Amino acid sequence: MNKFSLSVKEEKLILLPLRAIYWTSNRVLIISDLHLGKAGHFRKHGIAVSRKVHLHDLRNLELLIKETKAERIFFLGDLFHSYQNAEWEDFLRFLYAHSNVECTLIEGNHDILTEYPKQLHVTKKLILHPFSFTHVKENDTYYNISGHIHPGVTVADKTRMSMTLPCFLFSEAYALLPAFGQFTGIKKISPNKGDRVFVIGDDQIFRLP
């Protein structure tokens, strides 16, 4: 799979087609909106969705740790979809298997657990110069990096067949990450002039002109 390297505030960020960012100088893997437990939430309401979708997401996360040799992970909110269920145990096993990686959760609107694993640092906002990390986009003196909206753009081929694909968006003041979880929706966005948009499709990243 390919990567896309860019400079933001003189810091090197690597965009990865598994919907993550690697911040090289701090060895941080940044992802958003995993929504662990969403499948279990659907099963609870009588809709048969396999937990394999979340196991696949966790395997992707393990691949990224191995590839980047990240020492830290920032989860930009909605790590969990709802209350504890079977997928909670899968995540605990993930934390145990990667106890050498420091994991921080910036709480999102879906992160409503009354108790979090002790291995997980939990905060409302994280500032690490020159960036601020939140779940919902904020106007900030730092360059803000967030998720929440599951951004995507519609692209068309020469035959005018179109589809909406997940994307990264980098504006002058903030960045939006796509949802890392495969079992999530996509919200179509309309980039502004000057925004840099990187679309993900078929394990490839390409920049929109």
Side-chain angles (χ1 to χ4, degrees), residues 19-82:
R19 309 184 188 189
I21 293 176
Y22 182 59
W23 182 9
T24 58
S25 64
N26 279 282
R27 305 192 75 167
V28 178
L29 194 60
I30 307 163
I31 73 170
S32 187
D33 297 277
L34 185 51
H35 284 274
L36 279 171
K38 187 175 182 180
H41 183 74
F42 273 62
R43 290 195 303 273
K44 183 179 178 182
H45 291 83
I47 302 172
V49 180
S50 173
R51 64 189 284 217
K52 289 182 180 179
V53 296
H54 296 310
L55 292 175
H56 180 71
D57 289 336
L58 290 175
R59 280 195 293 270
N60 281 344
L61 188 50
E62 289 179 331
L63 285 173
L64 289 174
I65 292 171
K66 183 177 180 180
E67 178 184 345
T68 63
K69 296 180 173 55
E71 296 178 352
R72 290 187 280 181
I73 302 174
F74 293 168
F75 296 99
L76 303 188
D78 289 359
L79 171 58
F80 304 100
H81 184 74
S82 188

Side-chain angles (χ1 to χ4, degrees), residues 133-152:
F133 300 93
T134 55
H135 177 58
V136 179
K137 179 177 72 71
E138 291 188 3
N139 296 321
D140 208 321
T141 54
Y142 295 90
Y143 189 90
N144 183 243
I145 301 178
S146 67
H148 180 57
I149 67 171
H150 309 185

